[in-house]
Amino acid sequence: MQPAIAVRQLTKTYAEGNTGTVALRGVDLDVYAGELLMLMGPSGSGKTTLLSIMGCILTASSGSIWMAEKEITQLTEKQLPAIRLEHIGFVFQGFNLFPTLTAGENVELMFDLKGLAAKAAKKRAAELLDQVGLGGKCDTFPSDLSGGQKQRVAIARALAGDPGIILADEPTAALDSHTGKNVMEMMSELAHKRGRAVVIVTHDSRVLSFADRIVKIEDGAIAGPGSSLLEPVPAGMLAHNFSQPTVNLA
Ligand code: ADP
Ligand code: MG
């Protein structure tokens, strides 16, 4: 099975005056459709940086990422948003909802970006909110929603483009156990029932049981199991058959 995302020797250095902060120092990672992968690591280890580059929000310094038969690391900053809109659903750590828009409008926005007519966008947004259990909350503003409800609006928005890849940065960090579990059940369903590739950054040990695979990142590099596919990507990578690594977490 080909990976939905293949990351090879990815590096990122943030420029800061004369010096720079090296956030990623050669990351290799494959993520498959139908799996829920958890990316864990201490604060500052590069999790958000890696997820942002995979999500076409940030560009890498070197290395490559393949997705949807494209090497996205070869694309210009202008080309990235279109790829992102088509393939990626991103759930941010702090929800990132627009406070002046209702829950419905926050989701509708994505359909507008995709060029859907206003009426259809509204209908689809309502359907999606219904799917995440917020059917009655279309006209509610984020300030009147609980943390868990905001997170579910953010998930509905991430799903609006029907993306094959879902990336979530600490989606349960701000939630109580029960709500966190609900969010994880939703993520797990996306992977297992709808065949999405789901990557979740977390250091929430309460949700680890939802992982099909746990990959650890330390100081900008993948540590230990999970880094088992380390051959550099050959030019014809997409024709190759990678075997899916499994890590026994028991
Ligand atoms: P994590 O999500 O694991 O906490 P990050 O990816 O946010 O880690 O950060 C990795 C490293 O990069 C840290 O040393 C952090 O200080 C640095 N960093 C992150 N974002 C920026 C930025 N925009 N500018 C400069 N340095 C940054
Ligand atoms: Mg982070």
Side-chain angles (χ1 to χ4, degrees):
M1 190 165 64
Q2 287 168 9
I5 312 175
V7 179
R8 291 295 180 278
Q9 286 302 304
L10 197 75
T11 76
K12 176 68 181 179
T13 303
Y14 289 103
E16 264 175 20
N18 299 331
T19 62
T21 305
V22 181
L24 299 176
R25 38 187 102 234
V27 169
D28 293 287
L29 182 66
D30 290 277
V31 190
Y32 293 86
E35 78 168 335
L36 193 159
L37 185 148
M38 280 193 194
L39 185 63
M40 300 193 74
S43 184
S45 57
K47 304 180 298 296
T48 296
T49 301
L50 175 58
L51 209 66
S52 303
I53 298 173
M54 287 164 81
C56 303
I57 292 169
L58 190 69
T59 54
S61 300
S62 71
S64 63
I65 298 182
W66 286 82
M67 70 173 65
E69 313 213 339
K70 284 188 188 69
E71 190 178 351
I72 61 160
T73 32
Q74 291 291 322
L75 301 177
T76 64
E77 272 183 61
K78 269 198 171 153
Q79 293 172 307
L80 284 175
I83 295 290
R84 183 170 170 226
L85 201 57
E86 189 178 349
H87 298 291
I88 310 272
F90 205 101
V91 179
F92 296 89
Q93 193 168 358
F95 317 133
N96 277 26
L97 299 179
F98 290 98
T100 57
L101 301 181
T102 63
E105 288 164 347
N106 265 284
V107 180
E108 262 173 76
L109 198 73
M110 292 304 291
F111 290 116
D112 293 342
L113 285 173
K114 291 206 120 196
L116 216 65
K119 205 173 158 192
K122 197 173 169 116
K123 183 164 170 274
R124 294 283 305 279
E127 284 166 6
L128 266 177
L129 283 175
D130 202 36
Q131 263 178 41
V132 299
L134 291 176
K137 299 287 182 193
C138 269
D139 298 326
T140 307
F141 286 94
S143 54
D144 294 324
L145 296 171
S146 70
Q149 289 171 331
K150 278 186 242 190
Q151 191 60 293
R152 280 185 283 160
V153 175
I155 292 171
R157 184 179 58 185
L159 297 181
D162 202 20
I165 297 163
I166 297 169
L167 308 173
D169 198 357
E170 311 215 18
T172 62
L175 309 178
D176 63 64
S177 307
H178 179 70
T179 318
K181 195 164 162 254
N182 282 347
V183 165
M184 288 309 302
E185 275 162 2
M186 212 178 291
M187 292 293 184
S188 161
E189 203 172 299
L190 286 166
H192 300 148
K193 295 202 178 134
R194 296 178 61 190
R196 306 298 190 248
V198 181
V199 181
I200 296 182
V201 162
T202 190
H203 43 225
D204 184 352
S205 56
R206 299 171 303 179
V207 302
L208 289 186
S209 61
F210 287 93
D212 296 316
R213 193 151 63 96
I214 295 176
V215 169
K216 296 209 168 110
I217 181 166
E218 270 166 33
D219 198 18
I222 302 293
S227 56
S228 51
L229 292 174
L230 291 181
E231 309 96 280
V233 185
M237 183 205 93
L238 294 166
H240 284 242
N241 245 347
F242 287 103
S243 58
Q244 181 160 2
T246 45
V247 176
N248 189 353
L249 303 169

